[in-house]
Amino acid sequence: MCGIIGYVGGRPCRELILTGLERLEYRGYDSAGFALIDEGHGVVESVRAVGNLAELRAAAGEGNGNGATAGVGHTRWATHGRVTTANAHPHASADGSVLIVMNGIIENYLELRSELQNAGVVFASDTDTEVVPQLIARAYDGDLAAAVRAVLPRLGGHFAFVAAHVSEPGRLVAARRECPLVIGVGEGERFVASAIPAFLSETRDVVLIEDDEVVALDADGHAIWQGEERQPARPPSRVDWDEDAAEKGGYESFMLKEIHEQPAALWDTIGDRLRGDGSVELDGLGLDDAALARVERIHVVACGTSYHAGLVGRYLIEDWARVPVHVEVASEYRYRTCLAGPGDLVLGITQSGETADTLAAMRVARERGAHVVAVTNIMGSQATRDADGVLYTRAGLEIGVAATKTHTAQVMALSLLALKLGRLKWALTAAGALDLADELRRIPDAVEAYLRSPAPERVMQAAAAYAERPFFLYLGRHVGVPVCFEGALKLKEISYIPTEAYPAGEMKHGPIALLEEGSPVVVVATDGHVFDKVVSNIQEVRARGARVIAVATEGNEEIERHADDVLWAPRTPALLSPIAAVVPLQLFAYGIAQSRGLNVDQPRNLAKTVTVE
Ligand code: F6R
């Protein structure tokens, strides 16, 4: 959580910092701030505001920051200390000499804070961050990089920060531990940020900073240390990301744009991995085919929407490859007795590659000797560094806080893995694998055709009719279960309406008590071997006065007799229906949030990347 940016170079940087922060806003938007430092004048502008970047711009007003060519900025997702201007970053040392913007948590801050207070230091905020500038100011002896190196070992937790000192106006010093930090290398300038989009419009040459490294940046270069040891020069790598990904491209929100980008995300995730003969090439798993064929057990660890993708993956892998799969939320897995070990494959699914719990669960499994593969969308993310192998989704940058295209791309990536395993395990025949490969290839086109059809507009209309309902129950069976979990999560995240999502067979064991006349029940009723069972459940809820909104496969005429509203999903084989069926539910949630006038891209209290446990 939180986005940080710093710039040092030859250009006035006020607008570079503010634009960079806008690109990082998906990481947190409780409050924001920036400070500009100028040669000979010290801090020439420092503004903090509660709210999103628009509020910061309003508080800052017009201005040129005195033409300052160095500065830092921050967008916050509060962990320690309420959302107030005083708790917004940058934070300064009591003497005003050191400024800090930070992402992450200093776990031993209470101890450090009382030590500093006992030494007479007065604190201005309730944050954990503030101990950092105070410590650096006390350690400073004319060399900011040396002071940061001296302080770093004292800090517990996981964090990335950028520091500036008024006596060294042309220099920034940054450090990281388990939180992302990248350097952007330009002509006579350097950027430092939590994520590449912050400076993508200015430079595509990036240098990744490793755990516990300190980097000092000035206009002409940067130097990296690990402890007191200066690291050899690290050549930048060039990113070829599409810059438009950080723009809405004519859509009213990032989420809507990203829903429409799903066909491309699915095509790209398949890419050249699916061969004409139905075989699957997955580079980078860190396991050759012989080793993969020996895998007897798979554990999947993930959070939120990525966990739902893992649940879908279980059906596919168990059906196609006959390998048992255990799927668990990472925040629980990490604290349970871990029984994974050598010979087991552990998949850590995380679009951001930064989720603290998922990283921790992957580490636990790796320490036990399991082979850990990160399924992630972000190249060079922490998950890719912590894992033995990587299976990339290729969804492109996702900015909307509610995950959409990264989720369907995760399901596609897991489908490819399941197909590969199915062949390696001889659970699928060559002909069977070929059929499945053809079906997988058809999915992006089917989703594309759906999104271009009048169906999405009808979903929006249906959504508007339900927008004021106070509660929704979601039901499904078999692969419809993770779909209804995901649909319900989307709705609660962006519309703030309470939802329950249950396997339909469990309904009579409790949730049915929630129903009253007119209660909306969303039922995933796509074609498959449990369709008739789902129809029975529909009848049971209708008998109690509920209104049924069914997600059904295009062309299924029977469902219209049972449901009050039907949200059509593109036709696919039953096991692949989760990709097709989740799209109308994304749109349904979107339509409700839109009718309620809510900001779908920045739902309250949420952040795109959850780097704290
Ligand atoms: C929901 C959503 C979250 C994330 C979860 C894990 O729309 O986006 O539930 O899925 O925070 O994030 P990653 O996949 O980055 O580990």
Side-chain angles (χ1 to χ4, degrees):
M1 328 289 224
C2 300
I4 58 176
I5 184 168
Y7 172 88
V8 58
R11 291 191 278 169
C13 67
R14 188 180 195 265
E15 195 50 40
L16 292 172
I17 299 266
L18 285 168
T19 309
L21 284 180
E22 276 157 4
R23 298 273 158 83
L24 292 176
E25 207 176 5
Y26 67 91
R27 302 179 65 88
Y29 35 80
D30 294 341
S31 48
F34 68 95
L36 305 173
I37 304 140
D38 197 20
E39 191 83 53
H41 301 95
V43 178
V44 287
E45 188 175 5
S46 175
V47 185
R48 299 183 291 174
V50 167
N52 61 17
L53 259 289
E55 306 289 337
L56 182 68
R57 276 197 185 271
E62 297 298 317
N64 71 354
N66 207 31
T69 59
V72 291
H74 187 267
T75 176
R76 181 171 188 238
W77 186 87
T79 57
H80 293 65
R82 291 181 63 82
V83 179
T84 60
T85 309
N87 288 337
H89 299 217
H91 287 290
S93 55
D95 64 2
S97 64
V98 177
L99 292 173
I100 288 280
V101 287
M102 189 184 91
N103 166 33
I105 290 182
I106 305 296
E107 281 171 356
N108 58 339
Y109 84 102
L110 283 175
E111 179 192 319
L112 295 170
R113 190 173 165 116
S114 70
E115 172 193 313
L116 287 159
Q117 280 170 328
N118 289 343
V121 175
V122 177
F123 279 76
S125 79
D126 308 320
T127 65
D128 53 332
T129 302
E130 200 187 336
V131 295
V132 183
Q134 308 287 19
L135 287 170
I136 293 173
R138 290 168 72 83
Y140 187 76
D141 189 17
D143 180 348
L144 180 59
V148 171
R149 293 200 301 274
V151 166
L152 193 59
R154 299 213 57 203
L155 304 177
H158 46 275
F159 47 77
F161 64 78
V162 184
H165 196 286
V166 286
S167 306
E168 297 180 48
R171 166 163 286 211
L172 297 176
V173 177
R176 79 174 275 259
R177 185 182 300 152
E178 294 173 30
C179 281
L181 192 70
V182 285
I183 306 299
V185 177
E187 274 296 312
E189 60 187 6
R190 292 289 184 278
F191 294 81
V192 55
S194 302
I196 295 167
F199 52 70
L200 191 60
S201 54
E202 307 302 323
T203 178
R204 290 173 172 275
D205 292 329
V206 305
V207 173
L208 301 179
I209 301 303
E210 302 294 334
D211 270 352
D212 283 301
E213 285 184 339
V214 171
V215 54
L217 311 123
D218 51 39
D220 301 316
H222 59 269
I224 302 173
W225 290 264
Q226 177 72 247
E228 285 303 321
E229 205 169 307
R230 179 82 184 261
Q231 300 299 293
R234 199 172 292 166
S237 26
R238 182 153 268 255
V239 291
D240 57 0
W241 295 0
D242 179 6
E243 201 192 314
D244 292 347
E247 304 292 343
K248 289 185 193 148
Y251 287 93
E252 63 190 18
S253 66
F254 283 112
M255 184 177 171
L256 193 60
K257 172 175 169 255
E258 288 156 3
I259 288 174
H260 281 85
E261 284 172 346
Q262 290 181 106
L266 294 166
W267 274 313
D268 290 347
T269 298
I270 296 175
D272 55 3
R273 291 160 161 173
L274 206 47
R275 299 288 154 88
D277 62 357
S279 64
V280 181
E281 280 301 318
L282 296 176
D283 293 339
L285 295 181
L287 282 177
D288 60 19
D289 283 359
L292 205 51
R294 285 195 298 273
V295 166
E296 292 294 334
R297 208 164 53 150
I298 295 179
H299 287 192
V300 177
V301 291
C303 300
T305 288
S306 297
Y307 166 69
H308 299 155
L311 291 176
V312 177
R314 177 172 66 190
Y315 288 92
L316 297 167
I317 295 170
E318 291 190 341
D319 193 85
W320 294 353
R322 306 284 152 160
V323 177
V325 182
H326 168 77
V327 191
E328 191 167 353
V329 287
S331 51
E332 288 301 315
Y333 188 94
R334 65 181 290 190
Y335 291 117
R336 257 180 354 102
T337 307
C338 178
L339 296 182
D344 292 335
L345 174 61
V346 173
L347 303 173
I349 309 179
T350 164
Q351 80 79 22
S352 62
E354 284 185 50
T355 300
D357 283 319
T358 307
L359 295 177
M362 288 164 61
R363 248 174 250 138
V364 166
R366 198 152 180 243
E367 277 158 18
R368 298 259 324 162
H371 185 88
V372 176
V373 169
V375 182
T376 185
N377 201 41
I378 302 295
M379 271 165 62
S381 58
Q382 190 66 35
T384 66
R385 302 185 207 193
D386 289 355
D388 300 298
V390 183
L391 173 55
Y392 280 109
T393 51
R394 298 174 183 151
L397 190 65
E398 187 176 71
I399 304 265
V401 165
T404 52
K405 63 175 179 171
T406 54
H407 170 72
T408 42
Q410 287 166 344
V411 175
M412 180 56 85
L414 294 171
S415 309
L416 295 172
L417 180 64
L419 184 54
K420 184 174 180 65
L421 269 172
R423 279 305 284 142
L424 289 174
K425 291 277 185 188
W426 296 94
L428 290 172
T429 61
L434 197 56
D435 285 349
L436 289 173
D438 287 343
E439 293 294 354
L440 282 175
R441 267 193 219 97
R442 274 196 272 275
I443 288 180
D445 285 335
V447 174
E448 167 104 336
Y450 170 83
L451 287 168
R452 285 175 187 274
S453 75
E457 190 45 45
R458 291 197 197 116
V459 175
M460 296 288 194
Q461 283 160 9
Y466 287 98
E468 297 311 320
R469 306 313 306 236
F471 167 75
F472 285 76
L473 178 63
Y474 282 66
L475 299 174
R477 278 179 185 261
H478 195 249
V479 284
V481 173
V483 175
C484 76
F485 287 173
E486 177 58 10
L489 178 65
K490 288 289 92 93
L491 184 61
K492 75 177 75 142
E493 277 184 301
I494 62 172
S495 72
Y496 317 141
I497 298 175
T499 62
E500 271 283 23
Y502 254 77
E506 276 290 290
M507 175 190 64
K508 292 193 278 291
H509 303 285
I512 199 166
L514 295 167
L515 300 180
E516 51 192 40
E517 197 59 37
S519 300
V521 180
V522 178
V523 184
V524 178
T526 41
D527 287 7
H529 67 291
V530 292
F531 177 77
D532 291 341
K533 301 277 174 209
V534 174
V535 168
S536 303
N537 296 128
I538 289 179
Q539 277 155 355
E540 286 159 3
V541 298
R542 288 188 94 193
R544 272 116 193 130
R547 271 190 78 84
V548 168
I549 305 142
V551 179
T553 308
E554 265 165 2
N556 180 331
E557 287 169 11
E558 188 189 339
I559 195 71
E560 291 186 285
R561 294 205 302 275
H562 303 293
D564 296 283
D565 288 283
V566 180
L567 313 181
W568 296 111
R571 176 167 289 282
T572 64
L575 269 175
L576 295 176
S577 63
I579 294 180
V582 82
V583 179
L585 290 182
Q586 294 167 344
L587 289 164
F588 186 69
Y590 188 90
I592 289 183
Q594 192 197 37
S595 300
R596 292 163 75 97
L598 298 168
N599 179 347
V600 289
D601 284 336
Q602 295 181 342
R604 72 179 177 214
N605 300 337
L606 293 174
K608 185 75 185 156
T609 50
V610 184
T611 57
V612 290
E613 84 170 270

